[in-house]
Every structure is written in structure tokens, then in C-alpha cells.
Amino acid sequence: MQYSFSKRIQSVESSAVRDILKLTQGKSIISFAGGLPAEEWFPVDAIRTASERVFRQGPQALQYGLTEGTLSLRERLAARMGSQRNIQADAEELLISSGSQQAIDLFARAILDPGDVVLVENPTYLACLQVLGMYNARVIPVESDDNGMVPEDLVAKLKQHQPKFVYVVPTFGNPTGRVWSLERREALLRLCREHEVLILEDDPYGDLRFTSERVPNIAALEGRPEDRIVAYTSTFSKTVAPGLRTGWIVADKRIIRMMARAKQSSDLHSSVLDQLILSEMLLPEVFKLDDHIHKLSAVYKERMETMATELQKEMWRDSKWNTPQGGMFFWVELPEGLDAQTLLTCAVEKGVAFVPGTSFYAGEPKRNTMRLNFSFAQPETIRTGMERLTEAVSEFFGRYSGV
């Protein structure tokens, strides 16, 4: 039988990260491809304790729930965001999603019509590009540097394209690891308010910081006006465990209502059991989340420094990268003219994998770019993997230069 698939789904390319993860399954390949947290640091005992507390309260954890999410979790999240991030909201301004990926999807579904424009950093999170492609949006990249979107290009594209919203990952961005400056965050907020354009601030990595410096979230800079233009989304996937599939979004109540309608047609509600477990884990007598995040950040800093040491070896001398201040990724630019997609084939032969950078670009990609994850593997494995990758790069450079 010849199946007739929709033009919408045919227009969306498969995720490069997911494809590479499948490639490495069951093989002795060290993968720096996925944005995976460290499994050995999942708080298994705390999750078990929280689960037992939930079930002692009765069988309601196994019942249908509210589309917007369980009230206890939304209230505790609202309090935590107010105290930890200075993002002021109440429970009615929060919606619980099945990971922050679903929050991006629901926001786009509620806001976009086919052909609407969305401005993004360049490069940007590839799964957001998948979402925007699914809704037939016109995705326009804004010139970006180490400090964030370049204001002159941003204002020109706001005027030219009149976008529905601007999508940004300003803190330890995926894939670049960049941290936007305070000035660039303020400029984005000011310009978008002037042009009446929404901002979707994606912040999955913001807690995983390696220094004491903290730049305010764009949502915090906005405060709590009558009409919010900033929608803020985050997740427990990077700080607790991705298998619990719980994220959230804070936005104007009118946006939350429309997103709830979209969610009702998708999955009715996210897992009540997962939500109640996480709600219990926000209680300090059950789990000290901030202590856990502090320890996790120290672990990831050590792994980042291990990878940085390997990148400083002679074979990488003509490549460029920024040392991450937090998050999970290095973004590497190989010498001009080299193709990271071709390098990947050589690397897999050596037993190591990464993500070529081409998939992260909305416009013309830089084919000499690559993303390396340092959070998943332990230091010794990172060293072994980087030795394999350095060998692949050396061989690849030799082929390219004709040596």
C-alpha cells in the first residue's frame, strides 16, 4: 500500500541528534551527540521517597488531571521562580507540559498561522526549528554574536518582517553555550515591546552554572506588566531527570488559556503521577533541590574542563570555541572550508560521535561547526572519546590538506 502522508509532516526533517543517537545504540561508540544529563546523578532515592509519599495520599495520582497541571506543582513552581529567578507569577499564569519541548510546540500552535514569521538566533535549538517547520512558519535568522542578537539586525528584521514572536535561548544556549549580555537582553525586551512582538525565552540550562555570576532572565527584567510579552519556559529534565517528562511555561493568562486548549487536543494533560512526585520534591524536607543542582553543576564543570583540556591540544589549534560558563555544550568551529558532516563519518569509524552544526541554522549554515556534549560522560570516558575525535580530526585534516 502507498501511504499518503501530509505535506506538513513531509516538510519536517528528522532530528539530527535523534538520528545520531540511534546510530550509536548498542555499539562501542562514545557519544558527545545528545544533550543527556549524567544518569549516575539522577536522584533515585529522593524520587522513590517522593513516590511513596504520593501513594500514601491515595490513588488520585493515577487519575485524570487538570490540563494546566496539578495546582500544588504550579503553586510551588511559582514560589520557586519568584524567589530563585525573580520571575513573578501565580498558578493561573503557569501551564505544565510534557517537557519544555511540548511547551514550545503548544506556544507555537496557539500563536502561529501558516506563513507567520518567527525570528531566531543563528544558530539556534534545532528541535524548535522542527516545531516551527511543523506549523509552516517562516523562520528568519537574526545576526548573533557571543553577546546575543545584534540589535541593529534585530530592529531591521522586526520592521521588515513583523514577526509573531522571537525565540531565544539566552542563558547557556543550545547549541553555542552563549550567555547573552544584560544590554542585549534589555535591548530585545525594549524593541519587542516597541513593535508589539512576543518573546519566547527558553531556559532549560539556566541552573547549571559554573560561576557565581547570574544575568537576569528576560522574563525577570520585564517584571509583571498588565500585558506580558515574555513567555518563559523551563524544565526538570536537566536538573532532576528527563524521564519524568515535566516542563512548564509562564505567560500571560490569555496565552495560557489558548495553550491549554491546544494541549487538550494533544494529550489532555501531562502525567499526574510525575507532577505529584516533583511537587513533593520541591519540599525541602523531601529533597534539597538547590543542593543537588549545586553538586551537579560542580560535576559538569569538571567534565567541561576535562573536554577543554583536550581541545587545547595541538591538533585543534586552528579551531575556535568558547569555554562554557554553564550548561552542557561546547560549540566548535573548525577551520574554514572543512565539513563537519564528512568528519562525522570518519569519527564514527574511530568510535566517537558528535552533532554537526548544520542542523542548528535557520539560514545558510556554517558547515565547519560541531556541537560537543560534556555532561553525560565521565572524565575518563571524555578523555578517551576526545582522543578518538582528535585522531579523526588529524586524519581528516590530512585528507583535506593533501598530506
Side-chain angles (χ1 to χ4, degrees):
M1 178 178 175
Q2 184 67 38
Y3 294 102
S4 179
F5 294 104
S6 70
K7 292 179 181 177
R8 182 191 310 112
I9 196 64
Q10 291 185 66
S11 69
V12 178
E13 294 188 8
S14 178
S15 165
V17 176
R18 299 294 116 189
D19 292 343
I20 293 169
L21 286 174
K22 284 193 291 185
L23 175 70
T24 60
Q25 289 297 304
K27 301 179 181 179
S28 58
I29 293 177
I30 295 172
S31 178
F32 299 138
L36 304 179
E39 293 176 359
E40 67 274 21
W41 279 87
F42 291 163
V44 175
D45 290 340
I47 292 171
R48 182 182 297 112
T49 298
S51 301
E52 292 169 352
R53 287 171 62 96
V54 167
F55 282 116
R56 283 200 295 269
Q57 296 168 18
Q60 66 269 25
L62 303 178
Q63 187 56 275
Y64 285 108
L66 296 174
T67 299
E68 293 82 358
T70 61
L71 184 58
S72 66
L73 179 58
R74 285 185 288 141
E75 287 177 339
R76 289 169 188 172
L77 272 173
R80 178 174 175 79
M81 284 191 299
S83 62
Q84 297 289 324
R85 304 180 192 181
N86 200 28
I87 298 173
Q88 305 301 321
D90 56 38
E92 286 70 34
E93 295 169 297
L94 270 79
L95 180 140
I96 303 299
S97 56
S98 298
S100 58
Q101 180 67 25
Q102 189 190 47
I104 296 169
D105 179 88
L106 295 175
F107 183 84
R109 196 187 311 184
I111 298 297
L112 296 176
D113 288 315
D116 282 342
V117 171
V118 178
L119 301 185
V120 300
E121 297 168 84
N122 208 27
T124 192
Y125 177 44
L126 67 85
C128 179
L129 295 177
Q130 281 187 301
V131 168
L132 298 176
M134 181 70 75
Y135 296 113
N136 298 311
R138 289 178 57 216
V139 184
I140 305 295
V142 176
E143 183 182 344
S144 307
D145 60 23
D146 289 345
N147 291 313
M149 285 182 170
V150 177
E152 293 77 11
D153 194 47
L154 173 62
V155 71
K157 287 172 177 171
L158 285 169
K159 291 177 179 178
Q160 179 183 357
H161 297 289
Q162 300 173 339
K164 277 292 191 72
F165 66 88
V166 180
Y167 170 80
V168 294
V169 192
T171 306
F172 315 134
N174 183 357
T176 63
R178 292 170 178 160
V179 180
W180 284 37
S181 67
L182 176 60
E183 292 75 18
R184 293 287 179 86
R185 295 173 192 235
E186 291 173 335
L188 174 67
L189 184 59
R190 182 184 70 254
L191 291 169
C192 285
R193 185 159 292 283
E194 288 175 5
H195 291 269
E196 297 185 337
V197 173
L198 296 172
I199 299 168
L200 179 56
E201 179 182 13
D202 192 5
D203 186 31
Y205 310 103
D207 282 331
L208 301 175
R209 61 184 59 254
F210 307 151
T211 71
S212 59
E213 296 179 16
R214 179 185 289 270
V215 186
N217 289 104
I218 299 169
L221 292 173
E222 183 183 32
R224 198 172 184 179
E226 183 175 343
D227 297 313
R228 289 182 188 262
I229 67 163
V230 181
Y232 171 91
T233 183
S234 191
T235 179
F236 286 107
S237 293
K238 307 301 187 291
T239 54
V240 180
L244 292 173
R245 301 310 307 134
T246 304
W248 68 92
I249 187 166
V250 180
D252 185 279
K253 292 178 183 178
R254 291 163 291 182
I255 294 175
I256 293 296
R257 280 198 297 270
M258 291 302 177
M259 289 181 64
R261 286 191 195 179
K263 188 169 172 61
Q264 286 168 0
S265 69
S266 175
D267 64 355
L268 298 182
H269 61 83
S270 297
S271 166
V272 174
L273 177 57
D274 291 353
Q275 291 180 66
L276 290 176
I277 289 170
L278 286 163
S279 181
E280 288 294 309
M281 292 180 72
L282 289 178
L283 297 174
E285 63 267 27
V286 177
F287 182 54
K288 291 180 171 52
L289 177 57
D290 292 326
D291 289 351
H292 173 73
I293 290 172
H294 181 74
K295 292 175 185 176
L296 193 62
S297 297
V299 169
Y300 289 174
K301 181 181 181 183
E302 179 190 10
R303 296 180 183 193
M304 178 275 293
E305 290 172 342
T306 301
M307 185 171 282
T309 298
E310 298 299 316
L311 283 169
Q312 290 162 8
K313 291 185 175 178
E314 180 70 12
M315 187 46 61
W316 297 89
R317 67 185 182 279
D318 295 323
S319 300
K320 302 175 184 176
W321 64 89
N322 293 327
T323 301
Q325 300 174 50
M328 293 184 168
F329 306 111
F330 275 95
W331 180 249
V332 180
E333 287 192 24
L334 300 167
E336 199 67 38
L338 297 184
D339 190 327
Q341 187 69 49
T342 306
L343 172 61
L344 176 63
T345 302
C346 182
V348 170
E349 291 173 357
K350 301 290 184 184
V352 64
F354 60 87
V355 182
T358 53
S359 299
F360 297 95
Y361 286 90
E364 184 67 26
K366 288 187 176 182
R367 303 195 65 83
N368 62 325
T369 55
M370 58 196 297
R371 191 191 75 176
L372 300 174
N373 168 260
F374 55 78
S375 59
F376 180 67
Q378 296 191 32
E380 188 55 43
T381 303
I382 291 174
R383 280 189 282 270
T384 301
M386 289 301 294
E387 287 171 3
R388 296 178 184 180
L389 184 56
T390 300
E391 184 180 344
V393 169
S394 176
E395 185 175 312
F396 186 69
F397 281 9
R399 291 178 190 174
Y400 174 76
S401 62
V403 175

